[in-house]
Amino acid sequence: MGLRNFITKVLFILFIINLQLHAQEITTEKTCVDCHSRTVKNKIVHGPTATDCLICHIPNGKKHPVEDEEGFTLLYEGAALCYSCHEEARDVYLEVKYIHDPVKKGDCMECHEVHSSNDSNLIFAKSPDLCYFCHDELESFIKKSKIVHTPATKEGGCVNCHSPHSSSIKKILLKNEKALCLECHNETIKVDKREISNIEKLIRESEFKHEALDDGCTVCHNPHASENLYLLNVPYPTKNYAEGTEENYDLCFGCHDADLLLLEKTKYATEFRNGEQNLHYIHINKKKGRTCVNCHSIHGSSRDHLVPETVKFGSWDMPLKYIATEQGGTCLSGCHKEQSYSREL
Ligand code: HEC
Ligand code: HEC
Ligand code: HEC
Ligand code: HEC
Ligand code: HEC
Ligand code: HEC
Ligand code: HEC
Ligand code: HEC
Ligand code: HEC
Ligand code: HEC
């Protein structure tokens, strides 16, 4: 920062000298900033603005100021002006697959001040406000949602996950989605009295990982906000009991066949059966049915079929002794004494 301050000072001195030199070209003795003080009034002044207004504003020979007469022409129009100095930015922004619409159109000044700004990077406002300026639908969705993912809304917001310019990853994400999410969810996060578990560790240590994770995290979670607990895309019961309807488990049946729940007798719809008797049906398909979380750990588990070692029953971490066998399995838990099932009776 020391070097930057020094450069700023040098630029400022050059700037003053410059103004003296150019003063003659103006109809009065005033300098550009005497009349246009707004251009340099903010904390951070753009390098060239602090140096010489005429780098970008080329005098066209007319007297200035004259009402309704333009005294200057821009060196270049639109993004070409910016890229004329920020050459490497053009390569970074335009030579990747996914380019943010305003960047593609060259509308740099939809987000940036060209003269001076109170925010670093010469932006008009910090995100999310900067982004809400155009993404007003998302703004109202986030603001009306019950559960809000705070990395989206706290200062710095959206650019925690998105590039404002472009990316080689879809939705102009900074990283591949899974890596992006796990970058923060690699520790237990405390919010008020709650603890949000370390998903990265859980997945890494799980011998069996849910294959749904191959498609990323947003197949189940909304990255911004949601009406549903755990930012889930659709309602999903996470307590021990719920009515065993198909709609209640839409989250799962987006990928899995609902027959595993709906058919009382089956030879194919599920492996969780005793002969033809569907054990998913028996446990779940009733008014006060068991929920999936009683028997499956959604992200991953050390046990086959994503069966967890313990299940939350109120404040009790109830142990679940499940052993998968060739033809079925055996289960012992707080729910019932040891029971076995076999697909071949
Ligand atoms: C005596 C006051 C005064 C000085 C000195 C002055 N300007 Fe202006 N400038 C004005 C006024 C007044 C306008 C017209 C503003 C408007 O239309 O709202 C203007 C308009 C402009 C515009 C937009 C229209 C155009 O002419 O292209 C630019 C760019 C500009 N000035 C740049 C400069 C630069 C660069 C300098 C220094 C080299 C400078 N001005 C010096 C008063 C001044
Ligand atoms: C990096 C290039 C660049 C530099 C340096 C620069 N300007 Fe500008 N200026 C622009 C651009 C781009 C516009 C916007 C033109 C538009 O909106 O069409 C602009 C617009 C203006 C306008 C008219 C609109 C307004 O904001 O009031 C004035 C006046 C102006 N500049 C004055 C100045 C003065 C005074 C300086 C030096 C202190 C300066 N500019 C330095 C690029 C520059
Ligand atoms: C005449 C050359 C020139 C032009 C034209 C120019 N810039 Fe700059 N810009 C600079 C310089 C020099 C810096 C200071 C670089 C630094 O501090 O490392 C800078 C800094 C910036 C920064 C801050 C970067 C940071 O790291 O804080 C942004 C953002 C920026 N420019 C955007 C733009 C945009 C948008 C345009 C077009 C509207 C533009 N520039 C046009 C030369 C230019
Ligand atoms: C949608 C808003 C938006 C648009 C459009 C936009 N920028 Fe930016 N720009 C930002 C934000 C936000 C940052 C700060 C990035 C951060 O905090 O990670 C930034 C940072 C920068 C920087 C400094 C850091 C870097 O990436 O090198 C430069 C230079 C820059 N922008 C130039 C441009 C140019 C040139 C254009 C037009 C082609 C442009 N920007 C269009 C929002 C935008
Ligand atoms: C000047 C208007 C404008 C601003 C400001 C703006 N955007 Fe956009 N953004 C658009 C437009 C237009 C699209 C394309 C249509 C759409 O998806 O809404 C878009 C699309 C997107 C997309 C989807 C990209 C894709 O490939 O589908 C993301 C993500 C995004 N913007 C993030 C941001 C972020 C983050 C910010 C703030 C740093 C921001 N936008 C600020 C106009 C803007
Ligand atoms: C925690 C990371 C994260 C944060 C923070 C975040 N986003 Fe996103 N955003 C994503 C992901 C991941 C996607 C892609 C979702 C998908 O593909 O369904 C996305 C998608 C989008 C889209 C495209 C939506 C569509 O349907 O195509 C827009 C626009 C967008 N985000 C804007 C924003 C804005 C504005 C902010 C700040 C308020 C923001 N994002 C904050 C991760 C994030
Ligand atoms: C920049 C850090 C960061 C990133 C990146 C991030 N998160 Fe989060 N996440 C948090 C924090 C902090 C919380 C704590 C609760 C809150 O603030 O929303 C959280 C909470 C959550 C919750 C629990 C919400 C609740 O109230 O129960 C889920 C689910 C979640 N994040 C999923 C994701 C997904 C999916 C992604 C990737 C698209 C992601 N997170 C990326 C920081 C992050
Ligand atoms: C198949 C759907 C699905 C996928 C894919 C998924 N999750 Fe989840 N996630 C859930 C469900 C359901 C919950 C609700 C609580 C539970 O059952 O663990 C949850 C809960 C969470 C929580 C809150 C945990 C707590 O202790 O409060 C976080 C954080 C989270 N998921 C992050 C992620 C991340 C990061 C990814 C991607 C690597 C991901 N999830 C992928 C369904 C999914
Ligand atoms: C994005 C798609 C997707 C979603 C959503 C999804 N799954 Fe999966 N799930 C898979 C895939 C793919 C597999 C591996 C193939 C298979 O066994 O069907 C799998 C496997 C499983 C397995 C392990 C099967 C075994 O025998 O090892 C269980 C248990 C499971 N899912 C439960 C759920 C539950 C509960 C939900 C809802 C919270 C859910 N899944 C949501 C795609 C998904
Ligand atoms: C009472 C415990 C229990 C409940 C509740 C439960 N499952 Fe299962 N599930 C199992 C067992 C055990 C297996 C492994 C069957 C085998 O391969 O031997 C299994 C297997 C699966 C499979 C792999 C394919 C299949 O059917 O064999 C999927 C997918 C699945 N369950 C989804 C769900 C969904 C979705 C829910 C909630 C609607 C749910 N399960 C509720 C115990 C349960």
Side-chain angles (χ1 to χ4, degrees), residues 128 131-132 135 138 149 151-152 158 161-162 170-171 173 218 223-224:
C131 312
Y132 287 161
H135 294 285
L138 185 60
H149 198 203
C158 322
C161 296
H162 297 284
K170 75 177 166 81
K171 306 292 171 194
L173 289 173
T218 54
H224 307 127

Side-chain angles (χ1 to χ4, degrees), residues 147-151 160-161 177 180-181 184-185 189 191 194 196 217-218 221 223 230-231:
I147 315 269
V148 173
H149 198 203
T150 56
N160 275 319
C161 296
E177 182 183 297
L180 183 71
C181 304
C184 288
H185 291 284
I189 301 174
V191 211
R194 279 176 61 208
I196 294 171
C217 312
T218 54
H221 295 285
Y230 303 108
L231 296 168

Side-chain angles (χ1 to χ4, degrees), residues 279-309:
L279 297 174
H280 274 128
Y281 179 95
I282 288 200
H283 284 91
I284 309 165
N285 200 334
K286 49 190 162 189
K287 194 102 197 129
K288 191 183 174 194
R290 293 275 168 184
T291 57
C292 319
V293 295
N294 287 295
C295 303
H296 297 297
S297 171
I298 295 312
H299 304 96
S301 166
S302 58
R303 293 245 185 87
D304 238 339
H305 313 302
L306 304 178
V307 177
E309 284 175 29

Side-chain angles (χ1 to χ4, degrees), residues 17 22 37 54 57 77 80 85 88 92 101 115-116 128 143 150 158 171 189 208 272 285 293 297 313 323 340-341:
I17 295 170
H22 288 302
S37 58
L54 304 181
H57 295 288
E77 291 293 331
C85 292
E88 67 308 337
V92 175
D101 200 73
H115 299 123
S116 66
K143 289 192 169 159
T150 56
C158 322
K171 306 292 171 194
I189 301 174
F208 301 93
F272 190 33
N285 200 334
V293 295
S297 171
F313 198 89
I323 300 163
S340 296
Y341 65 96

Side-chain angles (χ1 to χ4, degrees), residues 315-330:
S315 60
W316 183 29
D317 283 323
M318 179 176 81
L320 198 77
K321 293 204 177 71
Y322 172 79
I323 300 163
T325 61
E326 188 75 15
Q327 282 308 324
T330 306

Side-chain angles (χ1 to χ4, degrees), residues 14-74:
L14 289 175
F15 165 58
I16 298 294
I17 295 170
N18 242 300
L19 289 182
Q20 301 305 320
L21 292 178
H22 288 302
Q24 293 90 34
E25 298 171 23
I26 310 290
T27 51
T28 68
E29 291 303 304
K30 289 184 167 155
T31 64
C32 307
V33 287
D34 281 342
C35 297
H36 297 293
S37 58
R38 210 167 53 87
T39 54
V40 292
K41 78 170 195 304
N42 297 315
K43 233 171 26 210
I44 295 158
V45 179
H46 192 195
T49 305
T51 318
D52 185 356
C53 312
L54 304 181
I55 298 174
C56 298
H57 295 288
I58 310 298
N60 57 15
K62 295 192 181 126
K63 283 190 174 171
H64 183 78
V66 175
E67 210 179 326
D68 295 332
E69 281 270 9
E70 298 207 339
F72 304 90
T73 325
L74 280 174

Side-chain angles (χ1 to χ4, degrees), residues 241-306:
Y241 302 100
E243 192 175 356
T245 58
E246 187 177 346
E247 308 81 75
N248 263 344
Y249 299 103
D250 272 350
L251 185 68
C252 313
F253 297 143
C255 294
H256 296 286
D257 192 336
D259 279 355
L260 76 82
L261 168 66
L262 301 176
L263 301 180
E264 191 172 355
K265 298 240 181 272
T266 177
K267 279 186 188 156
Y268 65 88
T270 179
E271 299 286 278
F272 190 33
R273 60 193 153 81
N274 209 19
E276 289 185 18
Q277 186 174 50
N278 181 346
L279 297 174
H280 274 128
Y281 179 95
I282 288 200
H283 284 91
I284 309 165
N285 200 334
K286 49 190 162 189
K287 194 102 197 129
K288 191 183 174 194
R290 293 275 168 184
T291 57
C292 319
V293 295
N294 287 295
C295 303
H296 297 297
S297 171
I298 295 312
H299 304 96
S301 166
S302 58
R303 293 245 185 87
D304 238 339
H305 313 302
L306 304 178

